Structures are given as C-alpha cells and as structure tokens.
Amino acid sequence: YDEDYDFQYAILPVSKNRFTIKDNTSAVFILFEQVGNRYKMSYQRGEETLSSYQLYEKSSPSRAELERFTGTFYSDQLNTIYRIELSNDGLIAKPLRGEPFSLRPLNQNRFLTGQWFMSLLNFNWRNGRVSGFEVESPELKHLFFRRISLE
C-alpha cells in the first residue's frame, strides 16, 4: 500500500525475498533485504535499481526541535522560495505560489511531504543550524534549497 498516493496493489512471491506486482507488465520486481542491522526494500528492473527505501522508526520531535527547521529557503535551480513554518500540527512548507503542505518527520533530518513533485526533504546542517535541504523524489534528483534571510 502506498500511503502518499492512496494506491494499493498485490505482490506475488518470486523467491524468498523477491516479489513481482500482480498484473505487472513492466518487469519490475520488489526486493527485500537485510544489510547489516538495517532492512531495505528496492524496486528493480533487471539489475537496475529504480528506487530504494529503508525501514525506519517513526520520529516524534518536540516543538523546540521542529523550530530549528523553520526559515526561508531558496532554490537557485528553480528560482523560487519556500518558507518552512511551525503550525499547531507541526511543520508546513509554504511556496510563494501554490498551496502549503505539511511535513511529516521520518527521522532527525528527513521529512515526508505527500507531494508528488517533492516527496522527501532531507535537511542539511552547518555549524549547528539548518543550512538548507535537498528534495528527493522519483522524478527529481539533486534539487537544493539553501537557507536565506529576508529580514
């Protein structure tokens, strides 16, 4: 079940840790494996890994911890600004154009967005302060936003 896109599909075993998607016509397989003490799931076509995921334990940061992620962030690549703000329900991202969306913590530095164009934000730190974030999604790689000051 894909929670972000509200999509559900059946998987069928091919081997002990390899599965195919029922009615799969694109030869994509799902591989589950343990690497050290971590668990990993990846989508593969032949020997190519299309995307990879790791098992995580849900993070529940305090309001004070979330406050450290707030600020104004700019992408040179898109020439656009996002504000990360603290709301009653947690962090929200506010683009200059478009609707705000919430950020759900995955771990100390990573947040899910539920947005197809910006699935995951991975925050970077410098000198004890958030310096920016990288956007991760199946569609985008290496899209960076850096913290700026508009005050």
Side-chain angles (χ1 to χ4, degrees):
Y1 178 74
D2 186 328
E3 182 179 291
D4 289 333
Y5 298 105
D6 194 29
F7 183 74
Q8 187 171 353
Y9 49 84
I11 59 175
L12 305 169
V14 174
S15 68
K16 180 180 175 183
N17 64 337
R18 188 174 160 117
F19 295 79
T20 186
I21 300 169
K22 185 177 181 182
D23 302 324
N24 178 11
T25 59
S26 61
V28 173
F29 294 92
I30 303 170
L31 179 67
F32 295 91
E33 58 189 329
Q34 184 174 354
V35 180
N37 62 350
R38 309 222 11 124
Y39 292 93
K40 182 174 138 182
M41 178 185 90
S42 58
Y43 287 90
Q44 297 184 326
R45 182 180 297 125
E47 296 299 315
E48 177 188 13
T49 299
L50 303 174
S51 57
S52 183
Y53 306 89
Q54 290 185 15
L55 181 67
Y56 71 96
E57 292 184 25
K58 186 174 180 175
S59 177
S60 299
S62 68
R63 286 188 66 78
E65 290 169 324
L66 290 175
E67 181 72 38
R68 299 178 70 194
F69 293 93
T70 62
T72 303
F73 299 86
Y74 175 76
S75 169
D76 294 309
Q77 295 152 295
L78 296 180
N79 190 30
T80 195
I81 291 174
Y82 274 79
R83 286 210 35 85
I84 307 292
E85 298 179 358
L86 192 56
S87 75
N88 290 337
D89 298 324
L91 290 176
I92 56 171
K94 291 185 170 181
L96 287 179
R97 296 174 297 278
E99 295 296 316
F101 51 88
S102 46
L103 305 180
R104 294 178 301 174
L106 277 178
N107 63 26
Q108 186 177 0
N109 296 312
R110 296 165 63 99
F111 292 81
L112 282 174
T113 70
Q115 305 295 308
W116 66 269
F117 58 91
M118 188 181 269
S119 322
L120 183 72
L121 305 185
N122 188 23
F123 284 84
N124 304 310
W125 293 76
R126 185 177 308 140
N127 300 325
R129 184 171 186 231
V130 169
S131 59
F133 61 85
E134 180 180 2
V135 174
E136 296 179 30
S137 78
E139 294 81 13
L140 291 171
K141 303 288 185 225
H142 310 297
L143 176 60
F144 297 96
F145 283 78
R146 62 183 163 83
R147 174 174 274 200
I148 61 171
S149 176
L150 295 177
E151 289 79 43

